[in-house]
Structure formats: C-alpha cells, structure tokens
Amino acid sequence: MGRRWIVLLMSCVGLLGVSSLWGQQRRSTDLNNGWEFRQLATDATTAVEWHPAKVPGDVHLDLLDNKLIPDPFYRDNEAKLQWIENADWEYRTTLQVSPETLNHQHVELVFEGLDSAADVYVNDQKVLAADNAFREWRVDVKAQLKAGANQLRVVFPSPIEAAEKVAAKDPWQSRTKTDVKTYIRKPAYEYGWDWGPRFVTSGIWRPAHLETWDTARIDNVYIHQLDISQQLARVNVEANVIASQDGAAKLTVSYGLNGEKKDAVQNVSLHAGTNHVVLPIEIDKPQLWYPAGYGAQPIYHFHVQVNSGKSLADEADAKAGLRSIVLRRDLDQWGRSFEFIVNGIPVYGKGADVIPFDSFPSRVTTAQYRQVLESARDANMNMIRHWGGGYYETQEFYDICDELGIMVWQDFMFGNDWQPGTYDFKQQVEKEVRYQITRLRNHPSIVIWSGNNETELTFHWGGRDQMPADVRVRMWQDYLTVFSGIIARSAAELNPETPYWPSSPSSDYEELTPEYQSGDMHEWNVWHGRVNFDEYETQFPRFMTEYGFQSFPEMRTIEAFTKPEDRTSIFTPVMLAHQKNNEGNSIIHDYMLRYYGEPKDFASFLYASQVLQAEGIKIGAEHLRRIRPRNMGGIYWQLNDCWPVASWSSLDYYGRWKALQYYAKRFYAPLLVSPHVEDGKLAVYVVSDKTAPTTAHLRLRIMDLEGKVLRQEQQDLSIPAGSSKPYIEIPLSEFVNTNGTDAATIFGVADLQVNGKQVSSNIVYFVPTKLVQLPKANIAADLTQNGNAYVLRLSSRALARSVYVSFGELDAKFSDNYVDLLPGEPAEIQFTSPATLDQLKANMKIMSLAEAFAPPSSTSEATK
Ligand code: BMA
C-alpha cells in the first residue's frame, strides 16, 4: 500500500506553488488471448507439449477443451482426475509491446485473479509470486519489457504442495491441527464439499491486462452514503487517485439517474502516491433503492474524471443505489433482535444460500447468473446469503442482484476450517478483505458483510474442545484478531454504512439460552441429526441463515451424467458418486420411508424426493414467517448447484426448478395464509410483509378427500402491515374424529383473496402424511395454445397432491408446478416452450404423490 493522503479540497482553480501534472490517459489492453499451457515435466528429459489455453480459465477446462481429459462431471470421472491437483502447470503467451508503450511512466501487469500460488515471469525474469486467489495482483513490468515480442509466463506449482510448504513454516500447525490446505487462500469448495466434487484446480481464473499510465490513475471510486432519506441523500464521492508526482488536478463528477446529468467539480492538490479525494454531493428528493417487493431499484451513475491541465489523466465509472441500511439489534422480550431496516422499513429476509455456480467458475455465463437470480426473484425471494466456502463473485453477479432487488448477505471466503494464526496469514487476509470490500461496496444489494461460514463453530468441532488450554487460548485470540479485529476494522473503515457480522452463525459471542436468542442460526438437527421436520417448529432464532434437506434433480439432469444402468436405483455407484454427503442417499431414503413409503421405481423416487424436500422446508419457512417479528429472516440451504448432484438445492445445476423452488414461490408470497395445528387446535395464520394494511377475505374449509365440505369459516380481514397472527382458531375436537370422520380422510384448505383474487392458498392435514389415505390420481388435463404461451387446465375428482407436469426432453418454463389439485376444482398452469402443441401433447407426463407409491404393476391413469 502506498502512502495515503487526505486531499484538501480547494475552492479555486489553479493552486499557487503547485506544478501542473502532465501526461496521457490511462490505457488498458486485454491479455486474454494467445495463451498456451502444459504440464511441467517431472524430469528434464520429458518434453511436454504445449496446448492452446483460455484466459480467464483453469487447467481442468483447458485439459477438457483439448480433449486430454473426459468430462469431469460424467459418471465417476471425478475420481480419475485427481492427479491434476498434484501436477505443476505452466501458461505462456507472447506480448507484443510497442516502443510507445514503453514511453509511459507506468506499465503494469494486472491479474484480476490467479488461482492460487503462482510465479509470474516476464522474459524469464520473475516479477511476481502470488499466493491468494481472492485478490488482484498488479506489478510494474516496465523494466522487464522490451519493444517487440515478450514472453509472459505463469507457473502454478501443485496447490497441494504449495500449501504444505506454507504450513510447514507454522510451528503451531501441528498443535492447532489447522488443515494444511487453508494455508493458501483458495476457494475451499475446490477440495470437495458435501454437495460438490473435488477439483483442486490452477489457473488464470479472472481477466488479465496490461495498463499504461502517466500522471494519475483512479484506483477506485466509492459512493459513500452518509445520510439517506426520502428528502435528501448526502453522499461523498471518494476516489483513490494514485499520482506519479505532486501537482494540481481537477476532479469532475458527472452523476444522475436515467440519463439526467449533473456535474460537480473540485480542484485538488495531489501528492505522489495514493490520494484519498473526497467530493461531497447532495441529491434532493433522491429515488431510493428498495429490496424486491418494497419498491423500485433505481441505480445512479457516477462518472469521475481526473484532469491535469488540459489533459485527461484517468476516468472511471461507478454505480450506486441509494438506500439506508441498519441492522437493528435491540433488547426485547426474546433476547436481542436481528432485523434489517432498509430505508426505515423492517424487511423480513426471505431466500436461500448461494454456492458457486460451477466447479469451474470461469465458464459461468451471464445467462446463468440471470436465470438463477431471476428464479430467486420469481420465487418471491428478497435475500440470498452468498456462502463463504466459494469465491467472491463477479461485478455482474452483484449488478444483477442490485437490479432485481435481491439483498446479499455477503460472507468473506472462509469456509468452516480453522484458519491459520500466523502473522503472514493475517496480513494476507487484510489485503484480501480490503480489496474485496473496496471492489464491491457500491452495490446496494450487499446489506451485510459476514466474517466466515461456521468457523466460529469449528472451535468446538473435531476434538478441539479437548486441546490443551494454552493452544485453545492462542487459537481463540487468533480467531478474534482476524474476525473481530482485522476484518471488522477494514469493513468499518472502508464501508461504514454496511453492517459487519463476525460469522454465520454467531450470537456475537453472547451466551444463548432458550429465553435469550440473538444473532443468526444454522439448524441442522433436521437432516444431519435425522430428526423429524417438525423440529423446526421448536426453534425460535432471531434470523435463520441455514436449514435444509436434500433431493435428487429431475430425470433429464440425471440422464446428463449417467448411463441407463446407473439409473436403476439411487444406490448405484454412479448415483453415489453424485452424492457428496456420506450417508446422503440413505438419509433421503430414511425420511422417505418415515413420511411416505417406498417409491415404486427410480423415476418416482426422484420425484418423491423433491416433494419430500419441499414439504419439509415449507414447515420450517412457514414457522419462521409465522413467528415474525421474533424471527426476521429465513434463508434455506441452498439455492443452486455447482454440478449435477443430489443436494439441498432448489435449482439444479442446469437451473431447472425442483419442487422446492415452486413451493418457495408460495411460502414466500408477500401475503401468506398458513393453517397450522397447535395446542389442540387448528389456527389459520395470515402473515403480511406488506408496508400498508391490506383488506382481504379469508376462507377455511374442512373437506374430505373427495371434496365434501364438512365445515367452512369465512372472515373479512384488515391485515396490519408487517404482521403475523391467527385469525381463525378451531379446536380439533370439533371436527377431527367426530361424527364418524376419520382424520386420515379429511384435510383443511385455507385461502386468502384480495380484491376477489386468490393470493395464497394452503393445505393442512390432521394425521402424519403417510396416513393420509390419498385416492389414486385421476387427473384430467387439457392443453391449449394461447399465442406464444400454453395453458394447461388440470382437474381431479379427488385430492391430488404435488401434481408434477413434465414433457420428457422438451423444455418448458412454468408459472407453477407440483400443485395440489383440490377435488373438483380445476387449476391452470401457464408455460412457455419452444416445442409445438403436438410435440408437447405427445410427451406430456403427469405424476402425483399417490401414483409415486402405487404398486409397480399399476398403470398411470393420467389422461392427456
Ligand atoms: C452447512 C453449510 C455448508 C454445508 C451445509 C450442508 O454447514 O455451511 O457447509 O454444505 O451445511 O451440510
């Protein structure tokens, strides 16, 4: 870090006694072309061939593109590709440099990401030894370059050996048992996770470029939001300007919304080194940025120029959404609150945890970012947690979150493992977090920075509780230094308006009791602890950041990585290779038997696993919403996948919606009706996330599975803003097992209408799901075309649960799926598809819960 100066703002042009700077504008040339790679020979006698390589990219993808390895995701290929992590790899390209380039004062090589340990050579002179995948590397190479052709080479030693070398230098490593791999900063999920394969890769994984500049370079522009209200936004435009020498300069900021433009100009006196230049701006009646469901997402644009004399030295763009953000943590009757207040509104956080989109991040496309994040928005989510075991995402990812109004809980990239306590490591962390906060802080979507994923918990895992006292003291001090010292300080200095939280989960070091709840929670008794789903209803966290249950992806996704013989059972070797949680498939099977029974075949198992997952998470999500304001956020584990696998996700690797994603759309609806059996009665709750009272009509019907209404209650409601309460309460004794009704043959359905339109509908059962005597499905389906869209009308004389429509190999984007069909009440599903009506009709399959468990000999009665 260069020296930092706070620049005095000057009110008049032309600073006396300070010379004017001169020079040319900064230029950047992409270095993403002409790369080749090879494995470094293990002995000098073996010549290893060079092959074309992609930058940004990684060695696995380069090997794949050159057909040197098979598809890493196919069948059990993962196991055959583990040698790659033990090899050393070399990349090279030729850099043509003109004499003019070398006339510039600064000629810098910039790597936005090197994964991870890497030595960089220019014309065989080493210019850089990098050791962190999570930061930019910038080095002046003017002295090493010559006019004409230059060779740029990057050597990646095996990441396994690189980490061993660093770990060997820490005398505490054998005592703290810190995992060797954590000694180099590299995405933790590359080493395998309980949903991800192990592909420890190497490569130039983010863009590279060559930059020339003379007088000054703008390093970063921060739109520092000092005070934001509906009336006025006070912001500081803060630019880090790196100057070659002392001198006068003019800073111009042009800013506005939707093409409007205002200018603000300041004359500044720069010093050689890093200058922190501050230009205050006030925006009258600003248009504020809101989370999805609360208002619009306007983005202001800022264009910053630094001029010296008549010439432009550098210019930079920044974008920001103006919003105030507070993490409210007040003492109350349940402990200490944990709620996000955006522009003065307490916002209930609804969403899922996000993991990397691919095991090989450089191939993630804009279309994938959009598809996954729009799926989140379409499922009524307003928040995601960007989990700490992967990597910091691209600007594009956060731009889309800004645009869609999806708030981001941003972990720093420390996943589970105990982190080294060496001085070098701490310095490394400080550089990384400062770089990342600076890079990302203008995104209005980032509403909280959080130190790590579960590292605080790991202090008690793996026998650490039994470690000698001096080791534990030392470890805890190191932990606090990093997560409540270095990172907390960096966030407070570089992005003071955004809250910081030490870990997920954490109670901020306060002791918790059932009466005193504070902070965020990860609930894993369901799934890892194999307890029933209703365990969720015994937990009252102030904010939930993880809870989840696995399912299989749909058949088309399974077909992408299997041969027919792999698809005979969920326990074939290939199906097990695509299940990364030890015991995972048997946990699913165990719950399946507990809740439903044995599915009749493989296809039915896939389907039923999705229904099981969706019904389970629904119990947790609705409970958390019902207990608002005691709980102010529910984030389930997990939204997406990084490869085709059985996992906790609600979208599979190809972005296909599992049942849970459709269920989420319903259980995250802004107005939710949630009938619930509690204390011997049926209580029908209505939960509102609205900011104004809503007039609505609530109806509850108790009916038998053939549709005979046994009891009906109705009420006109005025639902307060941001509220949850039961409006109808009926003792079970009044209708369950009375007058000869068998609890296994009845159910309750509650629906909520606003202005005559149904906004939420929900079913409740009075016996465990397995005992509900579902009649055989007899579903009538009528498919018609309506312009570019299709309409499918479904009906059934008896209750049909989780009715799933699919079209084999044909793509379709549904408004809804996995719907419950009430007896005699048709439902309509809209969808779009590139296929023709005839193709769709020929391929339509309809599955419902009753059918999934029918004896294998039975045939589907679904009609087309
Ligand atoms: C939590 C997460 C992940 C993990 C998930 C499921 O621990 O933070 O590390 O994948 O549970 O086990």
Side-chain angles (χ1 to χ4, degrees), residues 438-457:
T438 304
R439 185 174 77 93
L440 300 175
R441 60 191 168 178
N442 289 334
H443 291 283
S445 53
I446 298 180
V447 295
I448 187 167
W449 297 105
S450 178
N452 60 63
N453 176 66
E454 295 185 346
T455 307
E456 191 180 318
L457 289 183

Side-chain angles (χ1 to χ4, degrees), residues 528-690:
H528 289 301
R530 297 200 191 207
V531 306
N532 286 346
F533 291 120
D534 53 14
E535 161 86 5
Y536 289 140
E537 299 184 343
T538 65
Q539 306 286 345
F540 295 86
R542 307 314 306 265
F543 204 97
M544 185 78 107
T545 35
E546 281 186 16
Y547 65 110
F549 192 86
Q550 282 201 3
S551 68
F552 292 96
E554 65 178 67
M555 190 61 100
R556 284 177 79 194
T557 298
I558 302 271
E559 281 169 356
F561 66 85
T562 53
K563 287 186 173 174
E565 63 261 38
D566 305 323
R567 303 193 285 269
T568 49
S569 129
I570 61 164
F571 295 106
T572 60
V574 169
M575 288 302 290
L576 290 173
H578 287 249
Q579 164 59 268
K580 292 295 173 183
N581 189 193
N582 298 339
E583 307 292 304
N585 286 4
S586 65
I587 298 179
I588 300 176
H589 191 232
D590 180 12
Y591 277 80
M592 185 70 80
L593 296 183
R594 217 182 294 175
Y595 282 91
Y596 299 121
E598 187 73 49
K600 69 178 182 200
D601 53 25
F602 182 74
S604 304
F605 204 115
L606 303 183
Y607 156 80
S609 77
Q610 292 197 18
V611 177
L612 177 67
Q613 173 194 37
E615 291 279 342
I617 299 308
K618 174 179 187 282
I619 293 173
E622 290 190 11
H623 162 70
L624 293 170
R625 290 194 66 188
R626 281 197 307 268
I627 63 169
R628 74 169 286 167
R630 187 169 178 177
N631 171 277
M632 280 305 284
I635 308 286
Y636 69 74
W637 184 266
Q638 69 202 61
L639 183 65
N640 58 326
D641 277 333
C642 70
W643 76 317
V645 65
S647 85
W648 297 267
S649 73
S650 53
L651 298 172
D652 73 22
Y653 174 63
Y654 300 103
R656 295 176 179 139
W657 287 36
K658 292 180 172 177
L660 176 56
Q661 191 73 17
Y662 294 102
Y663 273 56
K665 185 175 175 181
R666 288 173 225 147
F667 62 60
Y668 284 154
L671 286 166
L672 168 74
V673 62
S674 179
H676 184 239
V677 174
E678 55 192 29
D679 308 326
K681 55 184 197 278
L682 170 62
V684 183
Y685 283 76
V686 176
V687 182
S688 171
D689 289 345
K690 300 269 182 192

Side-chain angles (χ1 to χ4, degrees), residues 193-195 387 416 453-454 522 524 528 546 637 648:
W193 213 270
D194 56 5
W195 36 258
W387 169 80
N416 302 44
N453 176 66
E454 295 185 346
H522 293 186
W524 284 109
H528 289 301
E546 281 186 16
W637 184 266
W648 297 267

Side-chain angles (χ1 to χ4, degrees), residues 451-522:
N452 60 63
N453 176 66
E454 295 185 346
T455 307
E456 191 180 318
L457 289 183
T458 64
F459 190 53
H460 305 286
W461 293 356
R464 292 207 170 91
D465 282 337
Q466 269 72 56
M467 284 180 168
D470 63 324
V471 178
R472 282 178 59 78
V473 166
R474 163 115 190 186
M475 287 172 77
W476 190 240
Q477 280 171 349
D478 286 337
Y479 180 87
L480 293 178
T481 304
V482 173
F483 296 105
S484 283
I486 293 168
I487 307 184
R489 269 199 315 274
S490 302
E493 177 197 325
L494 298 170
N495 189 200
E497 65 265 42
T498 305
Y500 174 75
W501 186 244
S503 179
S504 181
S506 177
S507 56
D508 211 7
Y509 315 123
E510 287 181 320
E511 201 173 316
L512 298 182
T513 65
E515 292 73 40
Y516 184 87
Q517 289 293 303
S518 177
D520 68 317
M521 177 193 260
H522 293 186

